[in-house]
Amino acid sequence: MTSAPIWLRPIHRWFFLWEDLVPSVYRVLAVGVAGVASAVALAAIGIPPVIGVPAAVATWVAIAVVQEHDERVTLPVDAEFERQLRTRLDPPLAARGFAYNGASGPCRARRERNETFLYEAPRPPDGCIDLWIHRDRARGTMSVALPGGDLASLLAAAGDGELADRIGRVGAAEADVEAIVAAIAAAPEHLWR
């Protein structure tokens, strides 16, 4: 299934609306506002508040739990892109001390379809450097992020606008990985330390 069940979509929209408005406590506010509105509706049809308020709040807490559970469902990543990464990008990154850490697909409940691929390189004494590849096939966007910043921005600042442009957009899996390999080779040396 590539999207949330139809009956959950309006519930997701409700919670995502509150997340956009108040990111820190959106779930509490979404449950609270909906619970109060439901309690008022129950009182309007004659249910005493002593029953209606707890019933409304408990119902919305249960809905929030279901919504959060469904939001954790992820879709699979593009298998061909991952295969190309492992075949073509692993060797040059391994030479710089990076190892493939894993991938996660996009959240089924959200409109964004961002796939994430992570490479890590240990750095003494107890740290590491992360290289993140984000790829959204639906929007046609891609990015490669290092602690020093977005690789496309760094390449553009260094005068390689064409390559910076290419690693910012999605094409065929093999061509995307070729562009990333070229961008990694062209990246300033200080990024790897």
Side-chain angles (χ1 to χ4, degrees):
M1 176 183 289
T2 59
S3 60
I6 290 174
W7 66 273
L8 264 175
R9 291 178 195 167
I11 294 169
H12 284 306
R13 281 194 293 273
W14 173 254
F15 281 91
F16 296 156
L17 165 77
W18 284 98
E19 182 181 30
D20 289 342
L21 295 172
V22 190
S24 59
V25 291
Y26 76 93
R27 195 166 295 284
V28 172
L29 287 175
V31 168
V33 170
V36 167
S38 298
V40 168
L42 290 174
I45 61 171
I47 296 177
V50 73
I51 295 171
V53 170
V57 171
T59 299
W60 275 99
V61 166
I63 289 171
V65 169
V66 169
Q67 185 273 337
E68 183 179 14
H69 177 73
D70 189 65
E71 191 178 350
R72 293 181 183 179
V73 176
T74 59
L75 300 172
V77 297
D78 180 343
E80 178 59 17
F81 182 76
E82 186 177 27
R83 188 181 72 73
Q84 290 290 330
L85 280 179
R86 301 307 314 273
T87 303
R88 309 215 30 223
L89 187 60
D90 278 13
L93 284 180
R96 287 186 153 93
F98 283 82
Y100 184 74
N101 185 284
S104 64
C107 173
R108 178 180 81 171
R110 295 194 178 261
R111 288 187 180 144
E112 301 86 23
R113 295 295 184 196
N114 196 34
E115 303 171 314
T116 304
F117 304 86
L118 173 62
Y119 285 84
E120 290 182 329
R123 293 297 182 260
D126 294 325
C128 73
I129 295 176
D130 294 340
L131 183 142
W132 294 91
I133 300 169
H134 301 282
R135 189 168 181 257
D136 189 333
R137 289 177 284 163
R139 290 187 177 166
T141 60
M142 183 169 62
S143 69
V144 181
L146 288 159
D150 179 65
L151 189 54
S153 301
L154 296 167
L155 290 171
D160 199 344
E162 188 177 325
L163 185 54
D165 240 14
R166 177 56 190 95
I167 64 168
R169 58 187 154 76
V170 171
E174 186 174 355
D176 288 352
V177 173
E178 281 179 24
I180 294 170
V181 169
I184 297 292
E189 202 54 44
H190 72 274
L191 294 175
W192 310 108
R193 295 186 193 120

